């Protein structure tokens, strides 16, 4: 250890430890490492997502598509009630509409909004990688898992609020469209339809948004993430249906199709409480469809978190 003696003005000799002094000054000048809490990270992600134009474009599209899909479904049921199903000729008096069709029409627009929600979930994270802003994000908060969790939390809340408003608008559109003729009562096995379509559907889309975020984090590319989401909800069911029609030996593909996100949404909103007698394979009930969707979201979110933590951001 290097020590230097110097004489003070009063004549006394003082021993100075140069290394200790310089180390102390470095400690004083070194910046302190600050870790943001989850709430601060959540607030930061909220401000960031709200500042993106793409976020509000997706929100506006979802709010438009949900009532439009509900109105189109309700109008089709109303039109069919005026047609004789046997002869195809118009009826003098429209037939009553099943109350189950009324509630299914209310949630019909969610099958269109799920595409928008998937794209929004991917853009939530992929836009940072394509725009290189992820470097600034992780510099301000190095804990990558916390950053992704904050994104997922705010995305889920924003998706739920947007979908819930859209469903209420859909309910109003169906009310106006199917105000007449009369409606039949719900069967005992269909009593959950109002709750599933009014409240459950928006929650389902919020879970799907988290899944899309995980896909975006895993792909780290807008094109790759969006194509993966569209492949899961649109392309994969179509390809499996084509293979199923080719041969009866592909009947097991019905089970695989039924656990894809788009089919899970339909089964969840349908409120099926018992498996149909004419189905040989596995067909999820409404609560099973919801649980399978949670598993989809958990798997992709975990995969995205793992890749964000382990792979270099450059």
């Amino acid at each position: 250890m290097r020590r230097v003696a110097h004489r003070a003005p009063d004549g006394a000799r003082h021993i100075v430890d140069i290394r200790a002094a310089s180390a102390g000054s470095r400690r004083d000048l070194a910046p302190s490492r600050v870790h943001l809490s989850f709430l601060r990270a959540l607030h930061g992600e909220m401000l960031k997502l709200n500042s993106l134009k793409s976020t509000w474009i997706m929100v506006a599209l979802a709010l438009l598509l949900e009532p439009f899909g509900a109105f189109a479904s309700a109008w089709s049921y109303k039109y069919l009630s005026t047609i004789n199903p046997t002869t195809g000729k118009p009826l003098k008096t429209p037939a009553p509409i099943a109350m189950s069709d009324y509630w299914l029409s209310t949630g019909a627009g969610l099958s269109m909004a799920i595409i928008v929600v998937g794209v929004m979930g991917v853009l939530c994270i992929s836009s940072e990688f394509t725009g290189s802003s992820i470097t600034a994000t992780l510099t301000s908060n190095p804990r990558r898992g916390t950053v992704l969790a904050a994104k997922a939390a705010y995305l889920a809340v924003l998706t739920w609020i947007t979908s819930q408003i859209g469903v209420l608008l859909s309910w109003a559109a169906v009310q106006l469209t199917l105000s007449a003729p009369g409606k039949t009562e719900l069967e005992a096995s269909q009593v959950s339809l109002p709750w599933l379509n009014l409240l459950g559907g928006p929650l389902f889309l919020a879970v799907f948004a988290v899944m899309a975020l995980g896909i975006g984090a895993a792909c780290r590319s807008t094109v790759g993430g969006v194509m993966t989401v569209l492949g899961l909800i649109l392309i994969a069911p179509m390809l499996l249906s084509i293979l199923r029609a080719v041969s009866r030996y592909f009947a097991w593909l019905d089970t695989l199709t039924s656990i894809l996100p788009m089919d899970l949404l339909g089964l969840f909103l349908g409120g099926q409480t018992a498996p149909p007698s004419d189905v040989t394979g596995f067909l999820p009930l409404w609560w099973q469809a919801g649980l399978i969707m949670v598993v989809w979201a958990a798997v992709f979110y975990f995969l995205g978190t793992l890749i964000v933590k382990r792979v270099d951001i450059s």
Side-chain angles (χ1 to χ4, degrees), residues 140-179:
S140 62
N141 186 3
R143 294 187 292 183
R144 302 185 181 190
T146 303
V147 171
L148 201 61
K151 285 183 181 292
Y154 182 65
L155 176 66
V157 171
L158 180 62
T159 302
W160 172 73
I161 293 175
T162 302
S163 302
Q164 191 64 68
I165 295 174
V167 166
L168 293 177
L169 294 175
S170 301
W171 175 76
V174 173
Q175 281 273 45
L176 294 174
T177 307
L178 298 182
S179 56

Side-chain angles (χ1 to χ4, degrees), residues 265-314:
L265 175 62
L267 293 169
F268 180 79
L269 298 177
Q272 192 76 33
T273 57
S277 57
D278 58 342
V279 175
T280 55
F282 171 71
L283 187 67
L285 305 181
W286 73 264
W287 61 271
Q288 292 172 331
L291 288 178
I292 295 173
M293 187 65 249
V294 171
V295 172
W296 273 106
V299 168
F300 277 105
Y301 178 77
F302 175 77
L303 177 63
T305 303
L306 187 64
I307 291 177
V308 168
K309 283 185 173 182
R310 299 295 178 88
V311 180
D312 187 73
I313 62 174
S314 58

